Amino acid sequence: MRRSVGAVLVKDKKILATGYNGAPSGFKHCREVGCLREKLHVPSGERHELCRGLHAEQNVLLQAALYGISTRDSTLYVTNQPCIICAKMVINAGIKEIVISAGYPDKMADEFLKNSRIKVRTVK
């Protein structure tokens, strides 16, 4: 409800998996049941655990895992810079590059990505 985010995982010019932010499979969308983060006035970039939804980066990695697709040395195209939770997942998934179109207000994620071997590139 707060952001429309999509993610595409690519390797050797082939799409490996896709993801978007939203509730888990089979769960009602937040538009139907309400947003806990809005009710609690949680600022963007904070308290990620207080959300029913999964981020696009989480969903793209889960889709790859579900179908047995290796994420090693792939490139992640995603709408926004990953949050800290997603950044840690992306680092451990062996992704070599992240291409984003906008930042995200999460200083810790920014630090983790800068200290990783992942190249982060911004395109407009």
Side-chain angles (χ1 to χ4, degrees):
M1 289 177 54
R2 290 178 162 200
R3 292 179 192 267
S4 296
V5 181
V8 179
L9 196 60
V10 175
K11 185 174 180 180
D12 299 327
K13 298 183 181 182
K14 293 183 176 93
I15 294 174
L16 303 178
T18 61
Y20 58 89
N21 58 338
S25 296
F27 280 59
K28 290 185 177 184
H29 193 280
C30 298
R31 286 189 184 102
E32 296 175 76
V33 298
C35 176
L36 178 62
R37 294 175 60 81
E38 284 184 3
K39 288 176 189 171
L40 297 174
H41 306 287
V42 177
S44 185
E46 296 179 17
R47 305 290 314 270
H48 302 289
E49 75 280 6
L50 295 175
C51 182
R52 296 177 72 249
L54 290 118
H55 287 184
E57 301 92 328
Q58 294 167 338
N59 273 325
V60 78
L61 294 174
L62 290 168
Q63 185 183 45
L66 185 63
Y67 293 103
I69 299 167
S70 174
T71 57
R72 184 182 310 275
D73 295 327
S74 61
T75 299
L76 176 65
Y77 293 86
V78 64
T79 309
N80 298 99
Q81 174 189 298
C83 72
I84 185 58
I85 294 169
C86 293
K88 291 185 285 186
M89 291 178 167
V90 167
I91 291 166
N92 277 7
I95 291 170
K96 68 176 182 179
E97 181 180 19
I98 303 171
V99 181
I100 61 173
S101 61
Y104 187 74
D106 190 328
K107 292 179 185 179
M108 190 176 197
D110 191 41
E111 289 176 29
F112 268 60
L113 291 171
K114 284 180 182 173
N115 290 320
S116 74
R117 296 179 184 196
I118 300 173
K119 177 183 177 184
V120 178
R121 185 167 45 107
T122 303
V123 296
K124 297 290 177 178

